[in-house]
Amino acid sequence: MWKSFAALLLSLTIHAAAQTPGEALPTVAKVEPPNWWAGHSIDPVRLLIRGSDLSGVRVEAPAGLEVGLTRVNARGSYLFVDLHIDPDLEPGAYPLRLIAPSGSTEAPFEILPVLPRPGRFAGFDSDDVIYLLMPDRFANGDPSNDDPAEAPGLLDRSKSRYYHGGDLQGVIDRLAYLDDLGVTAIWMNPIYENVDHLNRIETYDGEAITDYHGYGATDFYDVDEHLGTLQDFRELVDRAHALGIRVIQDQVANHTGPYHPWVEDPPTPTWYNGTKAEHPDNNWQIWTLADPYSPPGVRAPTLDGWFLNILPDLNQGDEETARYLIQNTLWWIGISGMDGIRQDTLPYVPRDFWAEWREAIAREYPDFSVVGEMWDGNAALLSFFQGGQARYDGIDSKIEAVFDFPLFFPIRDAFLGRQPLRKVVETLALDRLYVDPHELVTFVGLHDVSRFMSEAGADFQASRLAHALILTVRGIPVIYYGDEIGMQGGNDPDNRRDFPGGWPADPRNAFDFSGRSDQENRLHDSIRQLVRLRRELEPLRRGDTVNLLVQEQQYVFARRTRQQTVVVAFNNDTGPARVQVQARATRLPDGTSLSDRLGGITGARIENGKLTLTLPPRSVATLTAR
C-alpha cells in the first residue's frame, strides 16, 4: 500500500522510535475534508489538518495518493496538505503519516465510492414547489438525540431559543405528508454542528440563545448531534428522491459561529476579517456594493463586518479560506446526493468569490442549483446580485436564483388590505430588470419574517389568495412549514413554532386531517389543490405571462406555452366583480369554453374576441379550455 517497502520501513522505524527529549510528538485532532473521491474535478484536494506541534512535519501518503504542497501555520496548529488522487484509486482507508523528529502520527483519510448520478444532484427550477422547514421545529423522530451527552442541557420546548427536539428522522417520517401536499423540493436550515456548551451560549433578554437554527457553525464537516447523523441526512436525501422530492441544503459561507475553534486559533492570520478582539461591525449598507461610485473603503464594513458584532466574518479574499469553503460545499453535495443549495447572506460575500464557487459546483455537478438570500425590497438592487451577466464591475456572480423580496412586500400588503392588488402587478412589471425572472424564488412567509397569519388583517382567505398568487405567477414558489395550515407567530423566534403533531405528546396532530380545525383543513386543501394544479399545468410553471386586465383590486393574466394557455383571475375586493378582457392575447379562438379548475366560476366562454368573467369576492380562478 505504501509507495515503497523502504518508505514503509522508515515510517515504522520513526514511529517506533522513542520521543526525542524536549520535542513533542505531533497530534491530529481533525482532518477536513475527512474523505474525497477519485476522478473528482477538484484535484489536488487540499486538506486542513488541525492538531498540535505540526511545525516541521513531513507528510507521507499511501500508494495512489501523491503529496503536493504542504504548509503549516506559525503556531504549528494547522497543516495544509495537497493530495493528488489517482483517478483509478479504489475506495478505502488511506491514512497519511505525519513524520517529525520526535516520532510520527497518523491522519485518517478515506477515498469514498462515487454516488451514482441518476436521480441525484438534479437541481431545482420553476417546475418545483419548495417547502421550507426547520428540522428542530418540524418533527421529533428520534427522542434519543433530544439531550445528547456531548451537548447536554440545551433542550427546552418552553423556551423559544432552545432546541426543541426536532430532527432529520422526523423529516424522514413526514415525507409522506409532504408528498401528499405535492411539494417537489425540501429546503432545510443548516444542519452543521453548532455550539454545544450551555456556559458558552449568548443570552438575549435573559434567555439563552442556542444555535438550533444552524447558522452558527462550529464544525462545517459534521451534523449537529441534536438533529442526527450524516447517515441520517443521506437517508433523508435517498428517501426523498424515491418520492420524487429534491433536497436543498442551507449553507453559510459568510460567517461561523462565535465558538468555532478558528476564532481563538485561525488557520491563517487573515482567515477572518479581523479578530475576536478587533474587527469591523457590519453596517448593512448593501446598496454600496452595487454603487459604481462607492470605493472599497465604503463597501468594506458591509463585506467584512461581523454580523451583530458577534458572528465572525470569513475572509473569502484569503486563498485558503476560499478553497476551504469551495471544497466544503462540494463535499456536502458529493456525500449526500442532494440537489441544491440555499446560500445564506449572499451580498455580504464578494461576488468574485461567488463566481469561483459557482463555477466549481457546475464543473462537477452541472445540473445542480443555487439560490442566494438577498433581503431587500428594491428590485434594481436585487437584480444586481442575480447572476447571468457581468455588471458594471465586470463580475458575473453566476448565482442564478435569488429571493424575490421585492414581490414579497406588495403581496402581503395587497392581501392584508394595506394596498391595492395593482401594486403587485407594478412590481411584476420590474421583471425587465432581471436576467431571468423565472429564477426568482417567491414566498408568502419565511423563517426570518413574521407569520402571515399573525399580521393585522390576515385571515384564511387572505392566506389562500397570497399562496395562489405565488403558485400561478412566474418564479419558484416556497411554502413555509405550517403556513399551509395557517400557523401563527410574530417575529423571530416566534415565527419558528413547533409544527403541531411533530411530537408524540402534542395534544393534536396537524399532519392528519383529523388533527386540524375546519379552517385549517380548508386552507390546507386549497393550497394542496393549487400545488397539484401547478404540477399538472405546464403554463403555470414555465409559461410566458401576458396581462389581460389590471385594476385596483382585480388582476387577470394568462400563462402561455405553445401547447396550452391558463387564464388566472384574481378579485381581491370584498364584493363581486364583473370583468371583461380582450381574449386575443390568450391565443384561444372564439367559441372556446373555459373551465375554472378551482371550481369558483362557471360558464366562462370566449365570444367576439372577449372573455367576460364574474368573480366572487376575494377569489381566484384558474381557467383552461375544456
Side-chain angles (χ1 to χ4, degrees), residues 58-88:
R58 178 168 53 88
V59 182
E60 288 191 351
L65 299 177
E66 181 182 346
V67 177
L69 170 147
T70 60
R71 181 187 299 142
V72 67
N73 72 342
R75 295 180 62 178
S77 54
Y78 286 96
L79 176 67
F80 297 92
V81 180
D82 276 3
L83 283 184
H84 295 272
I85 302 171
D86 186 319
D88 297 322

Side-chain angles (χ1 to χ4, degrees), residues 446-522:
L446 294 176
H447 60 301
D448 290 325
V449 298
S450 62
R451 291 272 186 180
F452 182 91
M453 289 297 293
S454 286
E455 293 283 297
D459 60 21
F460 283 85
Q461 186 62 8
S463 181
R464 175 179 183 263
L465 291 175
H467 283 91
L469 195 287
I470 66 168
L471 289 164
T472 55
V473 298
R474 89 303 181 257
I476 307 169
V478 168
I479 299 171
Y480 182 37
Y481 83 98
D483 277 2
E484 74 274 18
I485 60 170
M487 278 179 61
Q488 295 191 342
N491 291 322
D492 174 17
D494 190 42
N495 55 356
R496 303 170 180 185
R497 298 180 188 179
D498 300 342
F499 194 103
W503 284 252
D506 286 355
R508 69 187 183 103
N509 180 10
F511 287 107
D512 291 334
F513 179 90
S514 60
R516 298 189 289 260
S517 69
D518 289 344
Q519 280 190 321
E520 287 174 336
N521 273 319
R522 282 197 295 272

